[in-house]
Amino acid sequence: MLVKWIRCTVVDRRGFERGQRKWAGLLGEPGFRGQGGGWSRGRPDVAHVFAFWESRAFYDSFMARSHDRLAAAQVGTFKDIQVKLFDHRFDVKTGFEPRFADADVARVAHCRVHEDRAEHFALMQEKVWNPAMAGSPGMLRGLFGEAPGSEFLVLSMWQSAAEHGKYRVERVERLGLRARTAADVAALNGDVVQLEPTWTV
C-alpha cells in the first residue's frame, strides 16, 4: 500500500474546507483505499491529509487523469505545501485499515534516519515501539512506512488526544532510551492532528 502525506499552511480556512469536501470524488478511483485528515493541534493554520492507495501504479494513473480536476477547488487557499509518499512496511498493532471514523486524533512522526542505522531503526520500531504503542489504551491502529533516502513515517490513530497524551508522558522517554532512538535519527518532525470527519473519504 502507498501512503501519501500532505501538509500545508492554510490561508483561507473556509475555502480550504469547502474544497476538501470535493475530494469525495476519489470514491470509485481504481486502487483508492481511503483518505482523511484534519488540523494540527499545535498550529491551527496547518492542515494534514493522509491518502492511501493499493499501489504506486494506481496512484500514478490517478495523478495523470483526475487529480488536477479535484484539486482545482482548493487553489489559492493554502501555501507551503509538502507532499511525501511512503511504502507501507508494516502495521503498528494489527490489520491496519485506512479508516478514520472511530478516531479523534492521529499522530504523525516523520523521521530522517542515518543511512547506516536504518535497519536498526526499523527493527526497534517493530520490537520496542510497536508493542508499547499497541498496548496503550486508546491506540486504535497505525502503520510504519518507508521512503527512499532513509525516511520513515509512523502514523497512529487514537480514540482521544487525552489517551495519546498519557502514552507520550508515561512511555516515550523510556522507550526512546531502550530503542537508542537518538543514535538512529538525524531529524524528527511530528504533529498531533485533530481529525475532521467531513474530510474522510
Side-chain angles (χ1 to χ4, degrees):
M1 183 166 64
L2 186 75
V3 184
K4 181 179 188 176
W5 171 38
I6 304 155
R7 180 179 53 195
C8 61
T9 303
V10 174
V11 294
D12 170 6
R13 196 176 171 112
R14 283 186 61 195
F16 183 86
E17 292 210 294
R18 236 187 350 261
Q20 199 57 41
R21 290 194 275 277
K22 302 273 191 219
W23 290 100
L26 284 164
L27 289 171
E29 283 288 337
F32 173 71
R33 296 281 307 277
Q35 180 168 289
W39 299 102
S40 164
R41 287 179 63 91
R43 291 164 295 169
D45 59 340
V46 171
H48 295 266
V49 178
F50 307 97
F52 303 87
W53 294 84
E54 266 170 48
S55 70
R56 181 67 192 250
F58 280 123
Y59 169 74
D60 286 343
S61 168
F62 159 72
M63 290 300 289
R65 287 180 299 101
S66 313
H67 173 271
D68 291 359
R69 177 173 48 79
L70 292 174
Q74 280 175 312
V75 168
T77 64
F78 60 86
K79 61 180 186 176
D80 304 334
I81 190 166
Q82 292 176 293
V83 179
K84 298 246 175 220
L85 299 174
F86 297 87
D87 285 312
H88 171 276
R89 186 153 162 184
F90 49 76
D91 291 345
V92 179
K93 230 165 175 172
T94 53
F96 180 83
E97 286 288 325
R99 289 185 293 113
F100 294 85
D102 54 351
D104 186 39
V105 297
R107 161 73 181 163
V108 58
H110 174 224
C111 308
R112 289 182 201 280
V113 174
H114 299 294
E115 207 170 316
D116 59 333
R117 304 285 297 181
E119 280 313 308
H120 178 263
F121 178 77
L123 185 69
M124 290 299 102
Q125 185 67 40
E126 210 165 357
K127 299 280 188 268
V128 176
W129 290 100
N130 279 13
M133 222 188 292
S136 294
M139 191 277 188
L140 300 169
R141 60 191 158 275
L143 65 79
F144 181 73
E146 183 174 6
S150 304
E151 279 190 59
F152 298 91
L153 180 81
V154 184
L155 177 65
S156 54
M157 313 269 205
W158 297 77
Q159 268 169 352
S160 72
E163 295 288 4
H164 174 260
K166 273 189 268 183
Y167 162 77
R168 197 171 58 206
V169 169
E170 291 166 12
R171 315 288 290 276
V172 167
E173 194 177 335
R174 195 161 35 89
L175 292 168
L177 291 170
R178 204 171 125 207
R180 301 202 303 280
T181 304
D184 294 344
V185 174
L188 170 64
N189 290 303
D191 212 348
V192 177
V193 183
Q194 187 70 48
L195 295 170
E196 285 285 343
T198 58
W199 297 12
T200 299
V201 182

